[in-house]
Structures are given as C-alpha cells and as structure tokens.
Amino acid sequence: MEHIVIIGNGISGVTLARHIRKFSDKKITIVSGETDYFFSRTALMYIYMGHMKFEHTQPYEDWFWKKNRIDLRKAFVQHIDTDKKTLALDDGDLLTYDKLVIATGSKPNKFGWPGQDLDGVMGMYHKQDLENLEAYAPNNKVCKRAVIVGGGLIGIELAEMLNSRNIPVTFLVRESSFWNGVLPEGESAMINRHIKNHHIDLRLSTNLKEIKSDSNGKVKSVIIEETGEEIACDVVGLTAGVSPNIDFIKSSNIETGRGVKVNRYLETNVPDVYAIGDCAEQHEAIGNRRPIEAVWYTGRMMGETLAQTICGNRIQYKPGHWFNSAKFLDIEYQTYGWVFSKPKEGHAHFHWRHADDTKCITIEYDISTNQFVGINTFGIRMRHETFDTWLTENRDVDYVINHLSEANFDPEFYSHYETEVLSAYNNQLQTA
C-alpha cells in the first residue's frame, strides 16, 4: 500500500490528509513536533484573551484521526534522504515513504539582533510561543511593559492580546506609517491613530538595536537604534514577518530558495516530493501574488489541490482572485482583488472615510477602462462571493460603487453610509 508522509500538521498538511483519505485507502502519516493534534493557529490569540480554551481550537475530536486511519507521529524531522526515501527523526527513528509532502509552515524572522534568544523573547506563531507568553506575561505585575518589534498583522494581534490584560505596550515599527508597504496612505494613517487611541505607544520609523539581559539571561530592556534610548521591559515580541521553516531540508537534494521550490502542480525537483502552504515557493509567481504566500486559506487550497494529484487526478494549483481579512484591534479589514499602497501605473484610487475615523473604503481601478481592480474595506463587512463574481465579470468601478449594498454583509448597517460613499465618488469624478 502506498505510504504518504506529510511533514507538518497545520492547515495545509491536515487538509491534504483529509482529502487523500476521502479519495483513497493509502497509508497516511503526519509527522509534527509542535502539538499532538491539529489546532487552528489563527485562534491562538483568543486563548490568551480568555475567549476560548486550547481544546476549543482543535476542530476534530481526538478519535477522528484513528477512525480515519491517519497516523500521527510526534517528532521533528532532522534529515530527508530522497534516494532511500527515508526521514531521520529526532527520536532516532527512520520513517520510509513512497510520496513525501513538506508542509512545515513558517517561523518568525530574526535579524541577528543581540539578545534575540533571551528568555522572554518570543514570536507569536507556535503553541510554544503562547505558553511562553503565559509564563512571562501572565499579568501587568509580572510584565510591567512589553515591546513588540515589527508592524505586520501578527504584531497588531500581539498588541491586542497584551492590551487585553492591561499590559503597557511599546510598538516599534520600522516604516514611517503602519503597514504602509501594503495599505494606501489614508488607511495606514487611520490605523496609526487607532493604535494610539488604544493607549499603545506606537513608535514609527524606529528600529531595534539590541535586547539587553538581566543577570539570569532574561530580557530587561531594549535599545532603540536611532536614539540610543533604553526601554525597560519584561517581554519582547518579534513580529517582523515570517519565513519558511525549512532549515532541515537544506542538507537534502530538494531545491530551495526562500522556500521549497515548486511548480504549478506543487511538485519539487525530486520525484514523489511535494510542498504546500507557507513553506512552498512558486518558481514563477501566480499573477500579482507573491511566490510564497503565508495565508491560511491558500494553505487549505493547496492541500485540496495536491490531494487530487496524489490520488491520480493531476491538477494545477489555481488560487483564483486574491482576498484576505484581518483585524486591527477592533477594526475589521477585508481586501478583494488588488489595492496597492500606491496605485499601479494607469490606475487610480477612490478613497472614502467615515467621520468616526474607524470605517473606510479604498477602490483601485483602471483609469482608461474604468475596470474595477480591487477593494479594501475597514469597519464594514463585505461578502467575498460578490466581489469574486464582480472581479471575474470584469465589472467597472461605476457598477461596483452603485451596487455596493449588494456586497454588504449587514445591509441595514450599511445603508447609513451608502449615499455618502456615492456622493463622495461622484464628487471625485467631477473634480477629476
């Protein structure tokens, strides 16, 4: 019986295993050293905030794996021998495979800062990070201040977590405005104000120089690169992005760049070896997407796609229109299609912001054809299916603006802004 071994029990690896089982009787083994069972990584923050317990983040009962004949091995892989088709595990065992799938996800970036491995320094990605945070920042008596380094989506989540326990936070962001490599200026500025309104000490255009230790090897402060200022703290969160978790692969014949290199079928350069999820790097990026996408839903889609291929129906990975969603403290953010921080050449932005400074919409469109390219919404929930359809139908921006109410998730709620958005759009057209 063909043996499929999957390294990693995140959303990609588990989706793959479930779908292979749906279509076949192949032997399936998932190897992971992180946790006994699959859990929802995006829910980690809610455990710390007291909204749920760890077991609530596990979508499947413990009996599910045995019933579906999916073997779980709790171990880390140290080396892959693709000639002999074996994996050397950290418990001394050798595991043989017929087909191998690498789904090892990401790890937080470290940039060689002095003190980056001290006690009390952590990312916010793994269950172990959550356990560390609980140990070093249980309350504001034990943790009198935390410093977060890096202004992405994980950074803002960690700030919200600490904020929920009234722990003062200093937030060091290298950019001149929050996440301005992704967000247009108006949105980024709104988020800056929103962070400060939550009494978070946001420091823009600020870099970390080093993390200082007390006599016991624990964090006691950080030093700011630009000013030399020392900020006393008990916890440092490193949230300056993530990178593929593939160090153990570099001694094998499998081709790597930043991630494990794959083609459109998620195949590596070695027969019978595949990679999916955050650790997979497309040779050629798909459309405007990045070659590596550390996004929950693309990981799930890759798992579904590869299961078809492994079960004899070889199909390409086609992720469709880009979308994503996140939360900036209490402002929900959604994006569909492409809205760049500065409009692409030949494109323009229409931007509307509500007077309460917590809701806004930015639409990117083609100036010559008026074609709708993408939308960002903050504080207003929109329907994914509607925008997906409009992007496929190549609708123009006038159509989208005039039909926004159809895309709205809370129509009664949205009716308050509808006329305002329309008149702002018409005003912009007249002045243009």
Side-chain angles (χ1 to χ4, degrees):
M1 187 187 292
E2 188 174 48
H3 186 197
I4 314 294
V5 175
I6 302 163
I7 310 176
N9 70 348
I11 185 66
S12 313
V14 165
T15 301
L16 173 68
R18 282 181 40 239
H19 282 76
I20 291 175
R21 179 53 69 238
K22 217 184 259 187
F23 305 132
S24 78
D25 280 329
K26 297 178 192 298
K27 179 173 165 60
I28 304 171
T29 303
I30 297 178
V31 184
S32 169
E34 184 183 7
T35 50
D36 292 324
Y37 301 108
F38 167 63
F39 70 96
S40 174
R41 198 174 295 288
T42 47
L44 277 179
M45 66 183 289
Y46 299 112
I47 302 171
Y48 183 84
M49 291 169 75
H51 302 320
M52 54 198 332
K53 293 189 164 67
F54 182 69
E55 53 269 27
H56 300 153
T57 69
Q58 297 176 312
Y60 307 107
E61 299 287 353
D62 294 354
W63 51 257
F64 170 89
W65 308 99
K66 203 173 224 127
K67 181 174 184 246
N68 287 283
R69 303 188 319 288
I70 297 171
D71 296 331
L72 305 178
R73 274 299 297 272
K74 194 169 183 191
F76 287 106
V77 176
Q78 290 184 320
H79 177 67
I80 302 172
D81 185 332
T82 53
D83 296 330
K84 294 184 179 151
K85 292 193 162 185
T86 59
L87 307 180
L89 306 180
D90 64 347
D91 59 12
D93 256 13
L94 272 184
L95 191 60
T96 57
Y97 66 83
D98 295 304
K99 288 195 167 79
L100 175 67
V101 182
I102 299 160
T104 47
S106 299
K107 60 182 197 308
N109 286 335
K110 291 184 176 182
F111 293 103
W113 294 295
Q116 65 183 19
D117 296 316
L118 291 169
D119 294 339
V121 180
M122 63 204 70
M124 187 33 69
Y125 187 85
H126 296 105
K127 179 168 186 265
Q128 286 79 356
D129 295 326
L130 183 71
E131 288 159 2
N132 271 334
L133 194 65
E134 201 57 79
Y136 291 106
N139 54 49
N140 58 15
K141 306 281 183 293
V142 174
C143 179
K144 296 185 171 55
R145 174 167 296 275
V147 172
I148 298 173
V149 183
L153 297 179
I154 299 177
I156 194 85
E157 285 185 354
L158 183 53
E160 182 177 358
M161 290 162 72
L162 292 156
N163 216 10
S164 74
R165 296 197 187 182
N166 299 314
I167 293 169
V169 173
T170 295
F171 204 165
L172 309 184
V173 174
R174 193 180 56 187
E175 293 79 18
S176 57
S177 184
F178 192 85
W179 218 36
N180 65 357
V182 177
L183 299 179
E185 195 180 343
E187 300 174 351
S188 175
M190 184 178 90
I191 297 302
N192 292 339
R193 293 188 292 270
H194 189 63
I195 292 169
K196 289 173 177 167
N197 288 343
H198 279 74
H199 310 294
I200 290 166
D201 172 26
L202 177 64
R203 310 278 189 101
L204 297 168
S205 304
T206 303
N207 285 279
L208 172 67
K209 185 180 181 190
E210 67 171 305
I211 304 168
K212 287 192 117 47
S213 170
D214 67 9
S215 52
N216 302 317
K218 188 183 160 302
V219 174
K220 70 163 189 182
S221 64
V222 300
I223 305 289
I224 303 294
E225 176 83 58
E226 286 74 10
T227 58
E229 180 192 353
E230 184 167 4
I231 301 172
C233 59
D234 302 289
V235 160
V236 175
L238 299 181
T239 60
V242 294
S243 46
N245 182 21
I246 60 163
D247 289 343
F248 70 100
I249 296 165
K250 295 187 174 159
S251 60
S252 75
N253 299 326
I254 300 163
E255 187 191 348
T256 60
R258 280 191 59 229
V260 179
K261 294 279 200 176
V262 293
N263 62 16
R264 290 288 193 269
Y265 295 92
L266 306 165
E267 299 161 336
T268 67
N269 63 313
V270 177
D272 297 328
V273 180
Y274 309 84
I276 55 176
D278 289 21
C279 68
E281 179 179 5
Q282 287 283 335
H283 284 286
E284 300 288 323
I286 299 174
N288 283 315
R289 290 170 175 267
R290 292 178 175 168
I292 299 173
E293 290 193 316
V295 187
W296 184 87
Y297 78 88
T298 54
R300 191 191 65 211
M301 288 165 89
M302 285 185 214
E304 290 172 3
T305 303
L306 184 57
Q308 294 275 349
T309 295
I310 285 178
C311 295
N313 175 28
R314 186 168 178 261
I315 58 171
Q316 285 195 20
Y317 167 60
K318 291 187 177 152
H321 299 297
W322 169 253
F323 71 93
N324 203 5
S325 63
K327 227 166 122 261
F328 296 95
L329 301 161
D330 33 39
I331 297 180
E332 285 191 42
Y333 156 71
Q334 292 171 297
T335 183
Y336 302 105
W338 295 104
V339 179
F340 297 96
S341 56
K342 295 195 169 44
K344 277 204 137 162
E345 201 174 326
H347 288 187
H349 280 171
F350 160 69
H351 180 68
W352 167 84
R353 180 165 55 87
H354 190 264
D356 72 6
D357 206 27
T358 66
K359 297 171 197 71
C360 72
I361 291 173
T362 305
I363 292 177
E364 183 151 334
Y365 62 95
D366 185 300
I367 296 168
S368 56
T369 63
N370 248 2
Q371 187 178 327
F372 167 65
V373 180
I375 185 168
N376 286 352
T377 68
F378 285 79
I380 299 173
R381 275 187 161 183
M382 295 288 186
R383 290 183 189 280
H384 176 195
E385 303 75 38
T386 311
F387 285 112
D388 208 55
T389 304
W390 291 347
L391 287 161
T392 301
E393 293 169 348
N394 294 324
R395 293 289 183 180
D396 67 20
V397 64
D398 299 334
Y399 180 91
V400 170
I401 293 278
N402 283 291
H403 292 80
L404 268 182
S405 57
E406 293 169 25
N408 196 274
F409 206 79
D410 314 294
E412 305 77 28
F413 184 56
Y414 178 67
S415 58
H416 305 311
Y417 319 119
E418 207 169 348
T419 45
E420 201 183 309
V421 173
L422 244 169
S423 70
Y425 176 68
N426 291 330
N427 285 343
Q428 183 180 310
L429 282 187
Q430 280 149 18
T431 52

